[in-house]
Amino acid sequence: MPNLSQKALSMPASPIRKLVPFAEKAKSQGKTVIHLNIGQPDIETPEVAREAIRNTELKVLEYSHSAGFETYRKGLSEYYKKFDIDVNHEQIIVTTGGSEALSFGLQSCLNPGDEIIIPEPFYANYNGFAVSAGLKVIPVTATIEDGFALPPIEEFEKRISSKTKAIMICNPANPTGYLYTQEEMQKLAELVKKHDLFLFADEVYREFCYDGATPFSVMNLKSIEENVVLVDSVSKRYSMCGARIGALITKNQEVLDAVMKFAQARLSPPTYAQVAAEAALQTPQSYFDQVQAEYVERRNIMVNGLNEIEGVRCPMPRGAFYCVAEFPVDDTEKFCQWLLEDFEHKGKTVMMAPLSGFYATPGLGKKEARIAYVLEKEHLHDALECLEEALKVYPGVIK
Amino acid sequence: MPNLSQKALSMPASPIRKLVPFAEKAKSQGKTVIHLNIGQPDIETPEVAREAIRNTELKVLEYSHSAGFETYRKGLSEYYKKFDIDVNHEQIIVTTGGSEALSFGLQSCLNPGDEIIIPEPFYANYNGFAVSAGLKVIPVTATIEDGFALPPIEEFEKRISSKTKAIMICNPANPTGYLYTQEEMQKLAELVKKHDLFLFADEVYREFCYDGATPFSVMNLKSIEENVVLVDSVSKRYSMCGARIGALITKNQEVLDAVMKFAQARLSPPTYAQVAAEAALQTPQSYFDQVQAEYVERRNIMVNGLNEIEGVRCPMPRGAFYCVAEFPVDDTEKFCQWLLEDFEHKGKTVMMAPLSGFYATPGLGKKEARIAYVLEKEHLHDALECLEEALKVYPGVIK
């Protein structure tokens, strides 16, 4: 048989892929596995979206416009106004999830061999899109000591070479939950302007900001309007991960034209899901208020609970629904596997995502894991109890 | 602002993109435009699929498995048995349309710079996926004189170089409607085996075979099982173009493993659409019988009608719902634009897809256009009348 491509060999597997068989085995042995490893909320999708699907009268499930329903894009333009983001519907291309927006955006703006600077730890799938586009990811390390704040801007600047074409951030961030301040964003903007780079921002957790914090969008950075590409998605906002509806937004007409060619080649984003996403624009504010209150409680339980366990530390995040905790262990890849394979407490155990897969720098993240606090509070309490007990008996614990 | 990528500049626009503004203008002037230019059937999506969507009880629209619902893949495995295609559900990866299957398959198997041989004319979007994957398309020209049959196998062999990694076919073919015979397929298989290439086959029009013809799948070519990658889609089969559900199917485990990494990076195919596609597996045979009878009638009206117009020729296709006609004109790009801009007959005109965008060889297809006979018969009659009248007055007609 013929050989596979180099890309196929370089594509990273998911950071939790190695753990999946152990989770399955644990379940088959009757253990309850508390899944803190994936950002799939248990929150209900808004009724208004589900109702729209139940009432769908489409007789022919047709292609939509390659940029998505015009009515939906106009609705999105209104939605963004609530966040003081001023874009018209022609500056929005609806995509199949934020993933496709990222893929089209990177391919339109960067050549194979180009470099993109990303603060690490970062959403592990960025690696996959980078490999697919033939890009080199240049990490700048954020640290748990600083609560995963933006690393000093000089660290970014040091890494800029003739091949650097873009910087990418996620805000609020997956996996750290860190919310960039306006000041941090401004520093990034100056750097982007100085070196004429693209600035990609994944802002899919916009609705998940806590303690009175408000998100500051890249779309509101003055004087770099042509450099900014915003990646968005309905997945988290409306707990509609399975819809696969995202958007690429930019004021750069050349980028829009290029992305449209990629969009036309794949014909259209999914139609049913657009019906649901358009209806979801009518989700009442009370839904978000409730969800936010729920996540704040969950976050407080999880983060405070983690910090109470001896040897564990976890910065309090102000956004998204993840936190990164440091454990007093040899290697979280081993610890997470051991939790599934060799541990149980009252019939339960915990699955977390080891953080090394979220770093591009080899060797980092070995004591850290990402925890998605997307489950009901009682499960979070159980998970904390499991972790506390586990650390008493895990053979690789480091005092 | 920073420069765009080379890919962005090389991405081909849709072959009809230039015509779209003229079609819009014609409509705004009150003309009825009969759309023969796009493969969007007017056939209703099966009731069983639409009902499944109306009855969806999902409270949380979750991600599915990255390879798609296991129940759906098992159902697909049963579906293929009806076509004597023997694959199990673990050899099927559900994708976001056939487009994504193609994109993942090409990226997994071919390196940037590799060559893929494709008989032309071919589905124009293959160019987009080739550009995106950095591939060079090497065309082998099929001719209208031969009814767009497979070009002589020596023509393929002549084009094989050290960079050739794959051959791709569409069967039954878009845009020609040609259905490859088992003998033609066998010749391809021998070539593929001899040079150890991948063979990609887009078989999304499997259900649309006429005059008693049965499709012969690449999956049934003996001794090249590891070389074959099948691209499928529900878009045409169930008139569900907007679902965006396809599949990549292969018995090559290494390819499956590689494609899964791309699939995991984009998380999952759309959930609602999978619900519809899985339900559509229960579509009764009577639906396909009716659809096929309808398309045979439409095809006969269109192809016979075209051949009756002086100077026009159009081979009778045995599959899909397209035909390619040759017109006695200077250039079908000009003719198609003129039809929209300067012509009307009883308030109507016709939009067709000029064929030059379906050829990789520059200069070919200038007298040809693709016609999708996906409309009701009365519209097809009107279209034929328009074309006949148009050719009497078109300034670029060549006697």
Side-chain angles (χ1 to χ4, degrees):
Chain A
M1 55 162 283
N3 294 326
L4 297 193
S5 69
Q6 198 51 49
K7 269 185 204 177
L9 305 176
S10 317
M11 273 298 282
S14 145
I16 58 147
R17 201 181 185 194
K18 272 187 258 172
L19 294 178
V20 171
F22 297 103
E24 282 166 11
K25 196 171 165 205
K27 285 179 205 173
S28 75
Q29 291 166 344
K31 277 189 223 176
T32 298
V33 176
I34 305 172
H35 283 278
L36 304 178
N37 58 290
I38 187 167
Q40 169 59 64
D42 64 353
I43 302 283
E44 285 189 11
T45 306
E47 172 60 19
V48 66
R50 291 184 285 137
E51 194 189 355
I53 287 297
R54 288 195 303 269
N55 294 337
T56 308
E57 295 283 353
L58 291 171
K59 294 219 160 170
V60 184
L61 185 61
E62 292 185 318
Y63 292 124
S64 75
H65 190 292
S66 295
F69 298 165
E70 187 173 312
T71 48
Y72 176 43
R73 284 180 283 135
K74 286 183 173 169
L76 276 174
S77 162
E78 288 303 308
Y79 157 82
Y80 287 116
K81 286 202 175 79
K82 285 187 284 182
F83 292 88
D84 292 320
I85 299 172
D86 177 34
V87 287
N88 68 50
H89 72 282
E90 293 184 326
Q91 295 165 331
I92 300 172
I93 295 175
V94 178
T95 55
T96 307
S99 304
E100 193 182 67
L102 204 52
S103 168
F104 289 172
L106 292 176
Q107 287 191 78
S108 296
C109 297
L110 284 82
N111 282 316
D114 281 352
E115 295 177 356
I116 182 165
I117 299 178
I118 315 180
E120 66 180 357
F122 56 79
Y123 177 50
N125 283 328
Y126 293 163
N127 280 317
F129 299 114
V131 167
S132 178
L135 311 179
K136 191 167 175 199
V137 172
I138 306 293
V140 184
T141 309
T143 64
I144 198 164
E145 287 75 17
D146 290 333
F148 300 108
L150 192 77
I153 209 74
E154 306 78 53
E155 293 300 315
F156 285 83
E157 191 144 27
K158 261 192 225 167
R159 285 161 179 81
I160 291 176
S161 77
S162 62
K163 297 212 157 181
T164 309
K165 197 70 187 292
I167 293 175
M168 180 152 72
I169 58 166
C170 180
N171 186 36
N174 174 2
T176 65
Y178 187 81
L179 178 71
Y180 292 119
T181 63
Q182 185 169 347
E183 197 190 346
E184 287 172 317
M185 297 293 288
Q186 209 57 56
K187 284 186 192 164
L188 271 178
E190 283 160 27
L191 188 71
V192 160
K193 191 172 171 65
K194 179 172 169 191
H195 295 277
D196 202 20
L197 307 174
F198 284 108
L199 178 58
F200 285 81
D202 172 347
E203 298 184 356
V204 305
Y205 296 97
R206 182 180 305 115
E207 269 75 8
F208 304 90
C209 292
Y210 312 121
D211 308 332
T214 51
F216 185 83
S217 173
V218 283
M219 296 301 289
N220 288 325
L221 290 169
K222 301 296 168 208
S223 86
I224 59 161
E225 286 84 354
E226 298 279 308
N227 303 62
V228 162
V229 178
L230 175 62
V231 169
D232 207 351
S233 164
V234 303
S235 291
K236 313 297 175 177
R237 187 182 307 157
Y238 307 114
S239 194
M240 294 175 53
C241 294
R244 313 311 302 129
I245 292 293
L248 180 142
I249 296 149
T250 178
K251 298 196 174 182
N252 183 319
Q253 189 60 45
E254 286 188 24
V255 174
L256 287 167
D257 291 344
V259 170
M260 264 310 281
K261 292 197 280 182
F262 287 91
Q264 285 172 336
R266 63 75 164 116
L267 303 166
S268 82
T271 294
Y272 279 135
Q274 284 184 80
V275 169
E278 185 170 350
L281 290 170
Q282 305 308 320
T283 302
Q285 184 56 40
S286 56
Y287 174 90
F288 297 107
D289 294 343
Q290 277 169 30
V291 169
Q292 190 166 83
E294 177 70 25
Y295 276 121
V296 168
E297 281 193 70
R298 291 177 179 186
R299 178 197 64 165
N300 292 348
I301 288 168
M302 183 49 72
V303 176
N304 292 333
L306 285 165
N307 282 311
E308 279 164 22
I309 302 174
E310 200 188 327
V312 177
R313 68 168 159 175
C314 179
M316 179 64 77
R318 292 199 306 163
F321 37 62
Y322 307 99
C323 59
V324 167
E326 186 185 77
F327 294 90
V329 298
D330 52 349
D331 184 340
T332 44
E333 293 209 6
K334 291 181 192 166
F335 179 53
C336 290
Q337 180 178 328
W338 177 88
L339 280 168
L340 295 166
E341 204 177 8
D342 298 312
F343 175 80
E344 66 182 286
H345 174 67
K346 297 181 184 168
K348 294 176 182 171
T349 191
V350 169
M351 184 165 175
M352 303 185 293
L355 215 67
S356 42
F358 295 77
Y359 284 92
T361 305
L364 292 186
K366 282 203 176 301
K367 289 178 174 295
E368 296 163 357
R370 186 189 74 171
I371 288 167
Y373 49 87
V374 292
L375 304 179
E376 285 175 20
K377 284 161 268 186
E378 59 172 289
H379 300 308
L380 301 182
H381 284 297
D382 288 348
L384 285 163
E385 203 177 308
C386 278
L387 287 170
E388 182 162 19
E389 294 303 315
L391 286 169
K392 291 179 187 165
V393 291
Y394 174 58
V397 90
I398 293 174
K399 296 285 178 187
Chain B
M1 56 163 280
N3 293 326
L4 296 194
S5 70
Q6 198 51 49
K7 272 186 202 174
L9 306 175
S10 316
M11 271 299 280
S14 147
I16 59 148
R17 201 183 184 191
K18 271 188 259 174
L19 295 177
V20 170
F22 296 103
E24 279 166 12
K25 196 170 165 204
K27 285 179 204 172
S28 75
Q29 291 166 345
K31 278 189 223 177
T32 298
V33 176
I34 306 172
H35 283 278
L36 304 177
N37 57 290
I38 186 165
Q40 169 58 63
D42 64 354
I43 303 283
E44 284 187 10
T45 306
E47 173 58 19
V48 66
R50 291 184 284 135
E51 196 190 352
I53 288 297
R54 288 196 302 269
N55 294 337
T56 308
E57 296 283 354
L58 292 170
K59 294 219 161 171
V60 184
L61 185 61
E62 292 184 317
Y63 291 125
S64 74
H65 190 292
S66 294
F69 297 165
E70 187 173 310
T71 49
Y72 176 44
R73 285 181 283 134
K74 287 183 172 168
L76 276 174
S77 163
E78 289 302 308
Y79 157 83
Y80 288 117
K81 287 203 174 76
K82 286 188 282 184
F83 291 89
D84 293 321
I85 298 171
D86 177 34
V87 287
N88 68 50
H89 73 280
E90 292 183 327
Q91 295 165 332
I92 300 172
I93 294 174
V94 177
T95 55
T96 307
S99 305
E100 192 182 69
L102 205 52
S103 168
F104 288 172
L106 293 176
Q107 287 190 79
S108 296
C109 297
L110 284 83
N111 282 317
D114 282 351
E115 295 177 357
I116 182 166
I117 299 178
I118 315 181
E120 66 179 355
F122 57 79
Y123 177 50
N125 283 328
Y126 292 163
N127 280 317
F129 299 114
V131 167
S132 178
L135 311 179
K136 190 167 176 199
V137 171
I138 306 293
V140 185
T141 309
T143 64
I144 197 166
E145 287 76 17
D146 290 333
F148 299 108
L150 192 76
I153 209 75
E154 305 78 54
E155 293 300 316
F156 284 84
E157 192 144 26
K158 261 190 225 169
R159 286 164 177 79
I160 292 176
S161 76
S162 62
K163 297 210 157 181
T164 309
K165 196 71 187 293
I167 293 175
M168 180 153 71
I169 58 166
C170 180
N171 187 35
N174 175 2
T176 65
Y178 187 81
L179 178 71
Y180 291 119
T181 64
Q182 186 169 346
E183 197 190 345
E184 287 172 318
M185 296 293 286
Q186 209 57 56
K187 284 185 192 165
L188 271 178
E190 284 159 25
L191 188 71
V192 160
K193 191 172 172 62
K194 180 173 168 190
H195 295 277
D196 201 21
L197 307 174
F198 283 108
L199 177 58
F200 284 82
D202 172 347
E203 299 184 355
V204 305
Y205 297 97
R206 183 180 304 114
E207 269 74 10
F208 304 90
C209 292
Y210 312 122
D211 309 334
T214 50
F216 185 84
S217 173
V218 284
M219 296 301 290
N220 288 324
L221 290 168
K222 301 295 170 210
S223 86
I224 59 161
E225 286 84 354
E226 298 278 309
N227 303 63
V228 162
V229 178
L230 175 63
V231 169
D232 207 350
S233 165
V234 303
S235 292
K236 314 297 174 175
R237 187 182 306 158
Y238 307 114
S239 194
M240 293 175 53
C241 294
R244 313 313 300 127
I245 292 293
L248 180 141
I249 295 149
T250 179
K251 297 194 175 184
N252 184 319
Q253 189 60 45
E254 285 188 22
V255 174
L256 287 167
D257 291 344
V259 169
M260 265 310 282
K261 290 196 281 184
F262 287 91
Q264 285 172 335
R266 64 74 164 115
L267 303 167
S268 83
T271 294
Y272 279 135
Q274 284 186 80
V275 170
E278 184 169 351
L281 290 170
Q282 305 307 320
T283 302
Q285 184 56 39
S286 56
Y287 174 89
F288 296 107
D289 294 343
Q290 278 169 29
V291 169
Q292 189 166 83
E294 177 69 24
Y295 275 123
V296 168
E297 281 193 69
R298 291 177 179 186
R299 178 196 64 166
N300 292 348
I301 288 168
M302 182 48 71
V303 176
N304 292 333
L306 285 165
N307 282 308
E308 279 164 21
I309 301 174
E310 200 187 327
V312 177
R313 68 169 161 173
C314 179
M316 179 65 78
R318 292 200 304 164
F321 37 62
Y322 308 99
C323 58
V324 167
E326 185 186 77
F327 294 90
V329 299
D330 51 349
D331 184 341
T332 44
E333 292 210 6
K334 291 182 192 164
F335 179 52
C336 291
Q337 181 177 327
W338 175 88
L339 280 167
L340 294 167
E341 202 176 9
D342 298 313
F343 175 79
E344 67 181 286
H345 174 65
K346 297 182 183 168
K348 294 177 182 170
T349 192
V350 170
M351 184 165 175
M352 303 186 293
L355 216 67
S356 42
F358 294 78
Y359 285 92
T361 305
L364 292 185
K366 281 203 175 302
K367 289 176 174 298
E368 296 164 357
R370 186 189 75 170
I371 288 167
Y373 50 85
V374 292
L375 305 178
E376 285 175 21
K377 285 161 268 186
E378 57 172 295
H379 299 309
L380 301 182
H381 284 297
D382 288 348
L384 285 163
E385 205 177 305
C386 277
L387 287 171
E388 182 162 20
E389 293 303 315
L391 287 169
K392 290 179 185 164
V393 292
Y394 175 57
V397 88
I398 292 172
K399 296 285 180 190

